[in-house]
Amino acid sequence: MKVTEIPKRERGKPKVCAYVRVSSNSEEQEDSFLFQLRYWGRKFINDSTVEYVGLFSDNGVSGKSMKNRKGLNKMLELARNGGVDRIYTKSVSRFARNYAEAITIIRELRDIGIPIIFEKENINTLDPKCELILSVMVSLAEEELRSMSENQKWAVRKRFAEGKPDCSRTYGYRVANNHLEIDQTESVGVRRIYELYLQGYGATKIAQILDSEGIKTLKGGAWSDTSVRGILFNEVYVGDHLLQKSIYNMKSRHKNDGELPQYYVSDTHEPIIDKQTFERAQKIHTQRKLKYDCKCIGEKHPFAGKIRCGYCGISYKSNYMRRVKLTSVCVGFAIRRTRKVKPLALTVR
């Protein structure tokens, strides 16, 4: 039987650190952030009984996920490598608002003998009697986050119903006092896209032309067919706003397919493209979509547009799967195949 020897840790002062987080960059939250920084600094810097290894912070970051919390992840990595013996933080809600992630982190650190001490609740995670109350506190913090999110969404939807758009940075525009103003440099790229599209070029070819002409995207990178289409079919460029295009449900954002009402507001800002040009582009798109409605690869295929899925009605298309060519397969079949649901139509080989 293999026995793993764990080296004895050197005795000395316990290494302690503190973690600070606020969820927004508002003035009130900024004051809270600075107060916490000063508090932990005064508490440990002059304490001769401990070795203060530093403070880890996340400013303006939500507690719903660990994904974007660089300060927390850096602290956890240091703890896993033996660089921390004890972690202090203000409260459970400052540490995390996600029950599953918080409990996982607490148990992981407890297994290697590192406690997290929540000062406000007077909880030490190494105390087994605190397991239940800690679970309740984390659950309450998560529910509080959900409640705040619902309140924020209600306020946004109220503004939408009143025809007040929530302006955000968009290619071709800059935001000033929650109002879109034309960016003269980027607007050249917008007009060029529409010009090329009306000349008969497709989105992929337009992206290649923009790159060759040195026109950059919003982030300064190369163009793609997706980014070109996003500009071609966006009503913002004619001075209008379609509100509530998507829905956020705490985990992901998805397209609003009728779950919530949408509102179309005209003349909210200065247009880059006139409405006649925009309508011509939409008409060209509709014509091309009808022409290639069969969704087949290759117009000369003998089964093009002739075989439809018995489940969703979409035309089959040529595809390759597992090195075996399937003459026809539809997206619906692929979805049902992954869900292990028996398809209503067979592929034609």
Side-chain angles (χ1 to χ4, degrees):
M1 180 176 64
K2 183 179 179 180
V3 179
T4 302
E5 182 180 355
I6 300 177
K8 183 179 179 180
R9 298 182 64 177
E10 297 181 2
R11 296 182 180 275
K13 297 179 181 180
K15 299 176 182 179
V16 303
C17 72
Y19 175 73
V20 176
R21 182 191 69 82
V22 293
S23 58
S24 72
N25 292 316
S26 66
E27 184 176 346
E28 180 181 350
Q29 291 281 281
E30 189 68 26
D31 291 341
S32 174
F33 184 75
L34 294 175
F35 172 79
Q36 292 181 65
L37 293 180
R38 290 193 294 266
Y39 173 79
W40 294 116
R42 289 195 300 266
K43 183 178 179 66
F44 293 120
I45 289 177
N46 298 321
D47 189 345
S48 60
T49 62
V50 299
E51 179 183 346
Y52 185 46
V53 298
L55 183 141
F56 299 86
S57 63
D58 288 306
N59 190 7
V61 182
S62 172
K64 68 180 180 180
S65 174
M66 289 178 56
K67 185 177 180 180
N68 298 317
R69 299 170 65 183
K70 296 180 180 180
L72 176 64
N73 287 307
K74 186 177 180 180
M75 180 186 70
L76 294 177
E77 188 63 28
L78 182 65
R80 294 182 183 112
N81 294 329
V84 176
D85 297 318
R86 199 182 304 154
I87 297 171
Y88 286 82
T89 190
K90 177 184 175 182
S91 65
V92 173
S93 62
R94 294 300 92 201
F95 183 75
R97 287 185 181 273
N98 183 308
Y99 177 82
E101 288 187 353
I103 294 300
T104 300
I105 295 171
I106 290 168
R107 289 175 178 172
E108 178 189 357
L109 295 178
R110 187 171 58 191
D111 289 342
I112 57 178
I114 299 176
I116 303 175
I117 299 172
F118 302 102
E119 280 213 339
K120 181 179 178 181
E121 294 85 1
N122 193 26
I123 294 176
N124 184 323
T125 57
L126 291 188
D127 186 352
K129 294 182 292 184
C130 293
E131 177 77 18
L132 177 59
I133 190 172
L134 185 59
S135 298
V136 173
M137 295 300 297
V138 176
S139 297
L140 289 174
E142 183 176 19
E143 186 59 34
E144 184 183 6
L145 176 64
R146 184 178 292 105
S147 177
M148 290 189 296
S149 176
E150 289 299 324
N151 291 337
Q152 292 171 355
K153 285 190 287 186
W154 179 87
V156 171
R157 291 168 185 170
K158 186 69 174 177
R159 290 202 306 271
F160 286 169
E162 295 173 355
K164 299 177 181 178
D166 189 10
C167 297
S168 59
R169 181 73 166 94
T170 305
Y171 184 79
Y173 289 98
R174 59 177 180 267
V175 180
N177 298 323
N178 199 33
H179 183 76
L180 294 181
E181 296 181 352
I182 294 178
D183 184 301
Q184 298 302 330
T185 302
E186 294 178 352
S187 63
V188 174
V190 175
R191 295 188 181 97
R192 185 63 172 147
I193 288 173
Y194 278 86
E195 177 187 352
L196 292 170
Y197 193 70
L198 296 185
Q199 290 177 7
Y201 292 99
T204 302
K205 184 62 178 178
I206 292 174
Q208 295 172 356
I209 294 174
L210 294 176
D211 289 336
S212 66
E213 294 178 351
I215 298 175
K216 301 298 183 180
T217 62
L218 182 63
K219 296 182 178 180
W223 288 88
S224 66
D225 57 342
T226 302
S227 55
V228 170
R229 291 192 189 96
I231 291 175
L232 282 170
F233 312 127
N234 193 338
E235 75 291 336
V236 168
Y237 297 106
V238 294
D240 300 342
H241 264 104
L242 177 61
L243 307 181
Q244 206 151 256
K245 291 181 181 179
S246 60
I247 300 172
Y248 182 66
N249 61 359
M250 287 289 291
K251 293 184 179 180
S252 62
R253 183 174 292 277
H254 66 276
K255 183 180 178 182
N256 181 5
D257 289 323
E259 297 99 317
L260 293 174
Q262 293 183 325
Y263 307 94
Y264 195 93
V265 187
S266 301
D267 303 324
T268 58
H269 54 278
E270 185 179 357
I272 296 176
I273 301 298
D274 61 82
K275 293 191 176 182
Q276 291 76 14
T277 300
F278 184 78
E279 290 171 359
R280 286 177 60 194
Q282 309 316 302
K283 185 176 180 180
I284 292 173
H285 171 66
T286 301
Q287 292 172 345
R288 290 180 180 179
K289 186 176 180 181
L290 291 173
K291 182 178 179 180
Y292 300 105
D293 185 49
C294 66
K295 295 181 172 57
C296 295
I297 300 177
E299 287 288 334
K300 297 182 180 180
H301 197 285
F303 295 127
K306 297 179 180 179
I307 303 177
R308 292 185 176 272
C309 174
Y311 181 82
C312 61
I314 295 178
S315 298
Y316 279 36
K317 67 178 181 179
S318 178
N319 198 1
Y320 284 86
M321 296 175 67
R322 296 184 180 179
R323 298 182 182 179
V324 179
K325 182 176 181 180
L326 302 179
T327 306
S328 302
V329 62
C330 74
V331 178
F333 172 77
I335 294 174
R336 293 191 303 281
R337 190 171 183 272
T338 58
R339 295 178 181 175
K340 299 181 180 180
V341 177
K342 185 177 180 181
L344 301 181
L346 300 176
T347 57
V348 180
R349 297 179 181 273

